[in-house]
Every structure is written in C-alpha cells, then in structure tokens.
Amino acid sequence: VKSVQRKEQKQPYKSGIKPMKILVLHSFRQNAQIMRNKLGKIKSALTGVADLVFANAPLSYVPKGDVKDDTIKAFGDLPEVEHQRIWWNDPENKHVYEGLDVSLAFMDKLFETQGPFDGILGFSQGGCFGGILAAKAPCEHVNFHFYINISGFASRAPEHASLLEPNSIDMPSLHIWGTKDILVDPHRTQQLANAFKNPTIATHDGGHFVPNKWPANALRDFCLQQQAKLAQIDPSRRLDTAEKTLPAGFPVDSPPITDNFQLKLSTTLQKTPA
C-alpha cells in the first residue's frame, strides 16, 4: 500500500500526451450536475491530463418503508425527488441492492455509446459502484484501465463477496478518504482499497463530501502516471512535439454532462431481465 500525504502545490502541464477520459459517478441522492459544480478544484488540477464526463444514475430516489412514512408525516406528501439519482437502493439496510441490475445495464450501454473511458472516478455510493465495475471488468462493453475511489465503500451484497476479496483486483487504483468522515467509516473505504493489488492511499483531514479538501495533487500525480502508462501501450496518445505545451484557449471545463438518462434508462430496461 502506497500512502500519499503532501502539501498542495500547483504544477504546470508537461505530459505531452493526449488527455484521458474519466467517467465520474456521483453518490446516493446526488446527480451529475451537483458533482460537476463541486469539482472545480479537481477539474483544474486535471486540465490537460484528463477530461471528466459526469454520468447521471438511471434511477431516481423513491423513499420506502419507515423513511417514506416519516417523509409523509413531515411533509404531508412525498416531495419531488426526480433530481435525486441513485445507483441502487437498500431501504431496509439488508444488503439487497435494488436496481443494481438496471445500473449495470445502463453502464454497459454508456460504455458502448460514449466510451471508451480510460478510468472511473466514483464518490461514496458511486465509489462503491466503481469498485464493483472494476471487479467485474472487462465485462461486455465495460472495460477501463484505472479506478479512483473517493469515500466509497466495499459492497455488502453477498453476491459481491467473492469479487472483493483482498488483493483480488489487478487494476491501478487511488483511494481517498477523510479522517473525520462520519457518514462512511474510513475502515469501510480501506476495506475496498484492500481488494486491489498495490492500492495508492491519500487521506485528508475533512469529512465526507468536502471536494476542496480532496488532495488534488495526489489525484493529478496518479492520473499522470496512468496517462504515461497508457501512452506506452498506445503511442498514438502522444502529442506531436509542437503540441507538447498547453495551447492557448485550452478548455478548462469538462465535456457536456451525460444526460438524457430517461431515454437511456428505457433502453437499458429493455436489456434487463424481468
């Protein structure tokens, strides 16, 4: 396990390699727009290194059980929650991930139509989902080279136990968590990291969703390493000598958000067994 803790310092773009493409997976009851708006520091750190594509989960959050009853008592009705997206729901915390099959089919379609993606960056539930995808890859159209987990956790679904055994996932990975996280115990994030061979670890002194405390330099350094490795495999990723400096007007914003999820959901539902 490689541990990274360092003072943040900005460094110029020097890679001379085409930017990678990283798929970003948001957390439970978030959406692509929220993640995009909050990751300004990370997008800036990865300028010229990687373009971020933000995916919306195909499922909307629907309160169930005691949560539904308490919500109705508090509001008199269920409020609009269409903007709250989830990769699955486990309303009774029984480790049964309702809707995961739909999200897996959605992800397969996303890789087929908008890939390839070089890596996945997942936060919280998105980090857990990314870990599942890494354990399964390559699978159908889903295939990628590295994984970045921010405050994610190991799946507790029994069917994933064999996929997440220690040192079972042979993929470069970076795992980031806050030492003051009270929503996802750092031990659970460490447990997911342990499923990977030679994981890189970076911590910060914040809580759960604090993007400004995420170690952007450690994240960029990890991505630069992956970018160099991919260029060795595929020399066409290298820029011509004249292009090795960041050109004027290089966009610092990410590509358009992956949206229109209702249409994609309709497609994926057709592929999902009843």
Side-chain angles (χ1 to χ4, degrees), residues 93-167:
N93 198 29
K94 292 184 177 180
H95 310 161
V96 177
Y97 291 176
E98 299 176 3
L100 177 60
D101 53 346
V102 174
S103 289
L104 289 170
F106 169 85
M107 198 56 55
D108 182 69
K109 194 68 176 179
L110 191 63
F111 268 76
E112 179 185 12
T113 59
Q114 300 192 38
F117 297 101
D118 296 303
I120 283 181
L121 184 158
F123 167 64
S124 197
Q125 190 189 59
C128 178
F129 189 34
I132 295 171
L133 294 172
K136 286 177 170 288
C139 181
E140 301 293 338
H141 297 98
V142 177
N143 193 19
F144 52 101
H145 301 285
F146 62 88
Y147 164 67
I148 300 169
N149 169 35
I150 303 180
S151 299
F153 48 91
S155 169
R156 291 178 170 176
E159 61 267 29
H160 298 147
S162 61
L163 295 175
L164 300 173
E165 293 180 351
N167 300 310

Side-chain angles (χ1 to χ4, degrees), residues 208-226:
H208 191 61
F209 190 40
V210 284
N212 285 334
K213 282 188 173 289
W214 293 349
N217 268 13
L219 201 154
R220 183 190 59 240
D221 290 348
F222 174 81
C223 287
L224 281 170
Q225 292 172 8
Q226 305 315 311

Side-chain angles (χ1 to χ4, degrees), residues 30 37 49 55 70 100 114 153 158 175 229 244 248 251-252 255 265:
Q30 288 187 335
N37 290 344
V49 180
D70 292 342
L100 177 60
Q114 300 192 38
F153 48 91
H175 304 262
K229 289 179 181 178
K244 285 186 179 179
V252 298
L265 175 59

Side-chain angles (χ1 to χ4, degrees), residues 59-75:
L59 306 170
S60 61
Y61 173 68
V62 179
K64 295 183 178 181
D66 292 340
V67 174
K68 178 180 179 180
D69 295 340
D70 292 342
T71 301
I72 293 176
K73 289 179 182 177
F75 296 97

Side-chain angles (χ1 to χ4, degrees), residues 13-29:
Y13 169 84
K14 294 182 178 179
S15 73
I17 305 171
K18 294 177 182 179
M20 300 181 296
K21 190 175 177 182
I22 298 178
L23 183 63
V24 180
L25 308 180
H26 62 76
S27 182
F28 183 71
R29 297 177 66 177

